[in-house]
Amino acid sequence: MKKVPTIIGLVVGVLVGAYLVAFALFNRDVVLVDLTPFPTVEVPIYGVAALGVLGGAIVMGVVTLLTAFRGARLRKGMRQRIQSLTEEVNRLRNLPLQGEAGQEPGKDA
């Protein structure tokens, strides 16, 4: 039963790979890419598409890392808050009760 997801992943990977190869073969035409301060470059259409996907993946990775770092910082702050509240609870538990022996707390004699 554990082999089914592996086989499905393999089939999907092969299909996506075949699609990418077909895309590259059918889009070999050259386009001019104008990078304003730099000279114009001739690049195949599939190269432009690949650079776009790569750029998107890099941006997504940076955003994911920043989100993970923010989450780690928040968890650290929460752990410190839990520690201080635990210490306060323990301190309050160890306080002596006010009043005389045998008298209920909060009642005056």
Side-chain angles (χ1 to χ4, degrees), residues 10-26:
L10 183 63
V11 169
V12 169
V14 167
L15 290 175
V16 169
Y19 175 77
L20 292 175
V21 168
F23 180 81
L25 289 175
F26 288 118

Side-chain angles (χ1 to χ4, degrees), residues 14-50:
V14 167
L15 290 175
V16 169
Y19 175 77
L20 292 175
V21 168
F23 180 81
L25 289 175
F26 288 118
N27 291 292
R28 291 182 293 183
D29 297 332
V30 177
V31 293
L32 295 175
V33 178
D34 184 17
L35 306 171
T36 303
F38 304 107
T40 303
V41 180
E42 290 184 0
V43 182
I45 294 175
Y46 70 85
V48 174

Side-chain angles (χ1 to χ4, degrees), residues 10-104:
L10 183 63
V11 169
V12 169
V14 167
L15 290 175
V16 169
Y19 175 77
L20 292 175
V21 168
F23 180 81
L25 289 175
F26 288 118
N27 291 292
R28 291 182 293 183
D29 297 332
V30 177
V31 293
L32 295 175
V33 178
D34 184 17
L35 306 171
T36 303
F38 304 107
T40 303
V41 180
E42 290 184 0
V43 182
I45 294 175
Y46 70 85
V48 174
L51 287 175
V53 170
L54 181 64
I58 290 172
V59 168
M60 184 179 66
V62 169
V63 168
T64 301
L65 282 175
L66 293 176
T67 303
F69 288 144
R70 180 174 180 257
R73 190 181 74 235
L74 289 174
R75 281 190 301 277
K76 181 180 178 183
M78 288 180 188
R79 277 192 217 106
Q80 291 173 347
R81 176 88 170 126
I82 289 170
Q83 180 66 33
S84 69
L85 291 174
T86 302
E87 291 171 0
E88 182 180 355
V89 166
N90 289 334
R91 190 177 65 248
L92 291 174
R93 283 182 182 160
N94 293 328
L95 283 178
L97 295 176
Q98 294 181 358
E100 297 178 16
Q103 183 182 9
E104 291 183 34

